[in-house]
Amino acid sequence: MASPRMIQIASGKGGVGKTWLSVTLAEALAGLGRNVLLFDGDLGLANVDVQLGLSPQLDLGSVIAGRARFDEAITSYEIPSVSGDAGGVKFDVLAGKSGSGVLSALSKSEIAGMARALAALSARYAHIITDLAAGLDQSVLSLCMPGSTTLVVVTDEPTSLTDAYAFIKLLSQQDPHADIRVVVNMANDREHAWRTHAALTNACRNFLGINPPFAGFVPRDDMVRDAIRHQTPILFRHPQAKASEAVRKLARDLLFSIPQPAPKEALRRGA
């Protein structure tokens, strides 16, 4: 099975590490030699540029205002090699309009046009990663394109699981064939991640008749907070961190399109 070209990172609620995962996955895939575009699809509270310490001259707001085309608003982001020499990791970024809610007022047709323009860019990239806004707004679902892979980020908090279930329900109603996979963030360990996944997928299986597979997990790691605070991707700042290795594994699995099923014992414990 081919690796997914269009990847959406979603969550039912904010605060689960969705944007951090989007940034880090882009870095990891680029580090594997893939040509990647990271698109900030949070039309209300865009902050990919903040996490990367970017101040792009043109962004999505420029496109909507008619001052630039989609391809003109793309900024190249380069992470130097560990030694400081040339040949570091590069990926492209199409930033939102940080600190502005103007994009949240876009009409359904404007968002649909944005999705078409983004799809048109896919010919230039091996992967386009879209950091979707948290929540269940129609604008979020409008950016979930058929044939893409959606990674739903959850933690073990009941509100995260409940809102993730609601998002999966709406997306599966919109696209019954949607490729939805679950990433558990801030897990204590692998078994904890499996139990969290089981709690979500048991509900999906019982009430929706679907079973979103386990894509992977990211362990709780203080290095994540440090990297965000310094506006530096964690794979560069802390390449040996547990969270760094977890996202590298997620990237490798995506290249081969290998969802990771949880063991039956974990599913039973989560029931």
Side-chain angles (χ1 to χ4, degrees):
M1 185 182 296
S3 59
R5 296 179 65 86
M6 308 294 289
I7 303 169
Q8 286 107 208
I9 313 294
S11 67
K13 68 183 292 291
V16 299
K18 173 183 56 61
T19 296
W20 174 83
L21 183 62
S22 300
V23 168
T24 310
L25 183 59
E27 181 189 10
L29 287 170
L32 292 170
R34 311 295 285 184
N35 188 19
V36 178
L37 171 65
L38 174 58
F39 171 62
D40 195 336
D42 188 337
L43 304 181
L45 295 170
N47 60 17
V48 162
D49 55 336
V50 175
Q51 288 209 16
L52 290 172
L54 276 175
S55 297
Q57 292 184 339
L58 297 173
D59 55 24
L60 190 56
S62 307
V63 176
I64 300 304
R67 296 193 300 272
R69 300 191 310 267
F70 250 66
D71 57 343
E72 294 174 329
I74 292 172
T75 300
S76 180
Y77 182 81
E78 181 173 2
I79 306 167
S81 65
V82 175
S83 64
D85 300 331
V89 173
K90 298 180 182 179
F91 58 89
D92 286 348
V93 178
L94 181 50
K97 192 167 182 63
S98 181
S100 171
V102 64
L103 299 182
S104 61
L106 293 177
S107 67
K108 186 175 181 180
S109 61
E110 287 174 317
I111 294 172
M114 185 186 306
R116 288 193 297 271
L118 191 62
L121 288 173
S122 65
R124 294 172 45 180
Y125 295 95
H127 307 283
I128 294 180
I129 298 174
T130 299
D131 177 29
L132 296 171
L136 307 175
D137 191 85
Q138 183 57 46
S139 64
V140 178
L141 294 170
S142 297
L143 287 175
C144 293
M145 288 173 273
S148 59
T149 293
T150 302
L151 300 180
V152 179
V153 184
V154 298
T155 67
D156 65 354
E157 295 180 6
T159 52
S160 172
L161 293 168
T162 300
D163 292 350
Y165 168 83
F167 173 84
I168 292 170
K169 178 181 179 179
L170 291 176
L171 180 55
S172 62
Q173 289 174 342
Q174 173 178 288
D175 180 5
H177 302 292
D179 177 10
I180 304 171
R181 311 181 193 183
V182 178
V183 177
V184 180
N185 195 21
M186 295 182 273
N188 295 332
D189 51 35
R190 183 177 297 274
E191 186 171 339
H192 178 210
W194 283 334
R195 290 198 303 269
T196 301
H197 169 259
L200 174 60
T201 55
N202 283 345
C204 292
R205 185 169 53 252
N206 291 336
F207 298 106
L208 305 178
I210 60 176
N211 188 27
F214 180 71
F217 80 101
V218 180
R220 195 178 303 277
D221 191 336
D222 290 341
M223 297 301 99
V224 171
R225 185 183 301 275
D226 176 80
I228 293 173
R229 186 168 59 249
H230 287 87
Q231 297 178 288
T232 306
I234 191 172
L235 300 191
F236 173 72
R237 185 170 177 83
H238 300 293
Q240 305 304 320
K242 294 182 295 182
S244 295
E245 181 50 41
V247 180
R248 286 194 198 96
K249 183 181 186 309
L250 175 61
R252 291 192 299 267
D253 290 343
L254 281 171
L255 286 185
F256 295 100
S257 200
I258 306 173
Q260 301 298 308
K264 292 181 180 179
E265 313 87 72
L267 291 174
R268 285 197 294 268
R269 291 191 190 103

